[in-house]
């Protein structure tokens, strides 16, 4: 009964100063909303990143490098023999040879300098790329050294005015040879400068890429699954050390990079960025706490006479303190509920709009822990911010309060 009466008094007091109450609640609403929305955006970005890069989690790249220790063995090129030896590793499920260089693409009078890649049919999976138009080359085209090429969107923009559909089926010159465009890669930011063709064709016909023999610029590897990546890396190093007659790790003339390590670093960066943003939103909640404290101090001052009358007729200090604590927590909890509603609403709206207008950022996700945490913080703000004013009110002497 006492709690109900205190709640009624609190609501009447808040209703008597609607503008002041609304402005105070707005600071709580803003802070809670910011926490929910920012956590939702961060979770959406991380989920989108994990989804887009999920297929790369088991990816490993091998590239040529010079020996790290002076006096080491002369650096040997990666080659087809290395590729064949790696194919026997139990924790490797797919291998893609890579032969890269720079070449000039011509269509009509338009030239364009591109990074040419000679590879096998597994390149799309290894690089986690997709096609916007057309298709990728087949095993048959790889074996027959077919003069076909898949180009990136930058080449399409320069050579075909951005018309990817028109590019498919067209013939372009790659240095001295004529190639048929069979596909256009979907854009991937700064990785749109590619011209991809069968490695057999690159070796036989392309100037600047064909190095003859069995030379490889690098090798793309897929482990059987993410958990087997460390084992696959150990197998790669063991096999290539034997292939290249390397006795110590410091003399290795190749480098092995597990993409999952880079992905974990990026994921941690996104997590830190998200919590930094939440920290900034927390500042808004702190400002809201100061606002609640200030308003409660003003309320105590305004109602000093009322406190004196209540104490004069027998109200205990605990009753006075309870009244103002309930009023403070009511104010902050209503603001917290408003912030939760607004935060969830904005997050759901973003989940609809962001995939349509900014798909790379990922759809925001409502985080239940963030919602509960933000609301709990608003309650704590009400308790802490109202504690001192409530204690101050309960300590007023009845005579002094009545004289005020």
């Amino acid at each position: 009964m006492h709690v109900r009466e205190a709640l009624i008094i609190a609501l009447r007091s808040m209703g008597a100063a609607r503008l002041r109450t609304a402005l105070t609640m707005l600071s709580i609403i803003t802070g809670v909303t910011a926490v929910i929305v920012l956590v939702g955006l961060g979770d959406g970005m991380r989920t989108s990143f994990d989804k887009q890069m999920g297929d790369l989690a088991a990816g490993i790249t091998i590239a040529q490098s010079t020996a790290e220790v002076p006096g080491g063995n002369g650096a040997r090129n990666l080659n087809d023999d290395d590729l064949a030896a790696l194919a026997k590793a139990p924790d490797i499920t797919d291998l893609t040879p890579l032969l890269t260089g720079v070449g000039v693409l011509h269509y009509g009078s338009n030239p364009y300098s591109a990074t040419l890649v000679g590879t096998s049919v597994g390149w799309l999976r290894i690089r986690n790329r997709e096609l916007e138009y057309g298709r990728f080359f087949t095993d048959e085209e790889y074996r027959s050294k077919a003069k076909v090429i898949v180009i990136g969107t930058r080449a399409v923009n320069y050579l075909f005015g951005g018309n990817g559909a028109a590019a498919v089926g067209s013939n372009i010159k790659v240095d001295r040879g004529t190639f048929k465009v069979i596909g256009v890669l979907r854009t991937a930011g700064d990785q749109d400068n590619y011209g991809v063709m069968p490695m057999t064709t690159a070796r036989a016909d392309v100037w600047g890429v064909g190095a003859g023999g069995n030379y490889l610029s690098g090798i793309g590897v897929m482990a059987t699954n993410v958990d087997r990546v460390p084992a696959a890396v150990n197998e790669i190093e063991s096999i290539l050390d034997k292939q290249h007659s390397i006795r110590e790790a410091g003399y290795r003339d190749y480098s092995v990079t597990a993409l999952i390590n880079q992905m974990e670093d990026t994921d941690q960066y996104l997590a830190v960025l998200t919590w930094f943003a939440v920290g900034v939103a927390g500042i808004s909640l702190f400002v809201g706490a100061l606002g609640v404290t200030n308003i409660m101090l003003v309320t105590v001052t305004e109602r000093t006479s009322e406190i004196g009358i209540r104490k004069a007729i027998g109200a205990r200090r605990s009753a006075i303190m309870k009244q103002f604590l309930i009023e403070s927590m009511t104010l902050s909890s209503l603001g917290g509920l408003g912030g939760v509603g607004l935060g969830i609403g904005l997050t759901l709206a973003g989940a609809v709009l962001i995939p349509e207008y900014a798909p790379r950022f990922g759809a925001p996700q409502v985080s239940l822990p963030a919602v509960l945490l933000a609301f709990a913080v608003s309650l704590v703000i009400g308790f802490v911010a109202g504690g001192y004013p409530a204690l101050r009110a309960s300590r007023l002497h009845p005579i002094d309060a009545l004289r005020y």
Side-chain angles (χ1 to χ4, degrees), residues 49-393:
F49 173 79
D50 291 341
K51 181 179 179 180
Q52 292 176 12
M53 306 298 286
D55 293 338
L56 282 178
I60 303 169
T61 59
I62 307 171
Q64 181 182 346
S65 67
T66 57
E68 296 180 6
V69 176
N73 297 333
R76 292 179 54 181
N77 294 329
L78 295 170
N79 53 54
D80 290 349
D81 294 335
D82 297 331
L83 195 70
L86 291 172
K88 300 176 183 178
D91 289 302
I92 291 177
T93 185
D94 195 8
L95 289 166
T96 301
L98 300 171
L99 189 61
T100 61
V102 177
V104 179
L105 311 182
H106 294 268
Y107 181 73
S109 59
N110 299 327
Y112 178 70
S113 178
T115 298
L116 300 181
V117 180
T119 185
S120 64
V121 295
W123 185 83
L124 287 177
R125 179 169 177 246
I126 290 289
R127 295 304 301 267
N128 195 33
R129 297 297 299 269
E130 297 178 348
L131 294 173
E132 188 72 28
Y133 301 99
R135 62 177 179 85
F136 206 66
F137 56 81
T138 63
D139 285 323
E140 176 59 31
E141 289 170 328
Y142 181 88
R143 289 191 294 268
S144 65
K145 304 178 184 179
K147 291 187 176 182
V148 293
I149 189 171
V150 176
I151 59 177
T153 53
R154 290 188 185 179
V156 171
N157 292 337
Y158 277 93
L159 301 178
F160 298 94
N163 191 341
V168 176
S170 301
N171 291 322
I172 64 174
K173 283 191 174 295
V174 180
D175 291 332
R176 297 180 299 177
T178 301
F179 283 68
K180 181 180 180 179
V181 178
I182 59 172
V184 174
L185 294 169
R186 182 165 294 170
T187 183
D190 59 349
Q191 299 181 358
D192 291 339
N193 193 36
Y194 285 133
V196 187
M197 64 185 67
M199 187 182 67
T200 52
T201 307
R203 281 178 169 170
D205 299 299
V206 178
W207 176 264
V209 174
N214 61 0
Y215 163 80
L216 295 174
S217 303
I219 300 173
V221 180
M222 291 295 290
T224 50
N225 57 61
V226 176
D227 295 334
R228 300 304 297 170
V229 168
V233 170
N234 291 333
E235 291 167 5
I236 290 169
E237 292 175 343
S238 176
I239 291 171
L240 291 183
D241 284 351
K242 184 177 180 180
Q243 287 288 114
H244 291 212
S245 302
I246 294 172
R247 297 181 179 179
E248 297 182 21
Y251 293 113
R252 284 174 179 154
D253 51 11
Y254 63 89
S255 61
V256 181
T257 304
L259 300 182
I260 190 172
N261 295 332
Q262 299 176 349
M263 292 170 61
E264 289 175 349
D265 291 342
T266 303
D267 197 57
Q268 291 177 1
Y269 169 77
L270 290 174
V272 170
L273 189 63
T274 298
W275 286 110
F276 175 78
V278 171
V280 174
I283 295 175
S284 177
L285 281 174
F286 177 72
V287 173
L290 295 179
V292 172
T293 304
N294 183 54
I295 291 304
M296 292 309 301
L297 286 172
V298 171
T299 301
V300 169
T301 302
E302 288 180 344
R303 294 162 61 185
T304 301
S305 297
E306 174 193 330
I307 296 169
I309 294 173
R310 291 190 65 189
K311 296 193 75 173
I313 61 176
R316 296 182 178 182
R317 290 179 59 180
S318 60
I320 300 297
M321 191 168 183
K322 184 188 298 182
Q323 174 188 338
F324 285 94
L325 273 178
I326 289 176
E327 186 168 333
S328 173
M329 293 191 68
T330 301
L331 183 66
S332 60
S333 62
L334 289 176
L337 288 173
V340 166
L342 183 59
I344 292 176
L346 290 176
T347 303
L348 294 177
V352 174
L353 298 175
I354 288 180
E356 182 176 353
Y357 296 101
R360 287 186 175 275
F361 287 96
Q365 301 174 348
V366 176
S367 172
L368 181 59
V371 171
L372 296 177
L373 177 62
F375 183 68
V377 169
S378 71
L379 294 180
V380 171
I381 286 174
F383 182 80
V384 174
Y388 172 69
L391 182 62
R392 183 178 175 182

